[in-house]
Amino acid sequence: MAIMLRGVRGATTAAANTTAAIADATAELILTMVRANSIDPADLAAATFAVTPDLDAAFPAATARALGWSTVPLLDYVSPAVDGALPRCIRVLLFWNTPLLQNQVKHIYLREAVGLRPDLEVVVG
């Protein structure tokens, strides 16, 4: 089976705009995405983290580094401020080299982000 580059989406919310709350939410999301898809970080081409403008206390990528993703290229950025957008939201896009088909990838949405993409989300219990 051929290895292809696939995108794995995920989102969650931080309880507050603090370093601890952002790190907690990011770690929970990353670890859930890894577990749900059996991702080996060595197979990641890169990862991007987007935060809403109300989260400026920490970089989510710093949490990924703390989890051991020292060789994965990471990028943080701020999402546009859109009226009605979910507050304190952290979004992740992993670029993953895998033999899985795109429709076999499990996208993860946690906390208040559940329901952002019901067409993609996987229920994690």
Side-chain angles (χ1 to χ4, degrees), residues 99-116:
L100 294 181
L101 299 174
Q102 188 66 56
N103 66 357
Q104 295 173 306
V105 173
K106 297 172 184 156
H107 306 280
I108 306 298
Y109 293 82
L110 304 174
R111 300 183 185 192
E112 294 175 47
V114 171
L116 281 178

Side-chain angles (χ1 to χ4, degrees), residues 14 29 32-33 37 51 54 64 86 98 101 119 121 123:
L29 180 58
T32 304
M33 293 172 76
N37 289 288
V51 295
D54 53 357
L86 182 63
T98 178
L101 299 174
D119 58 318
E121 78 184 39
V123 176

Side-chain angles (χ1 to χ4, degrees), residues 72-90:
V72 178
L74 305 173
L75 177 66
D76 289 299
Y77 62 93
V78 178
S79 299
V82 176
D83 287 340
L86 182 63
R88 299 180 323 278
C89 189
I90 301 165

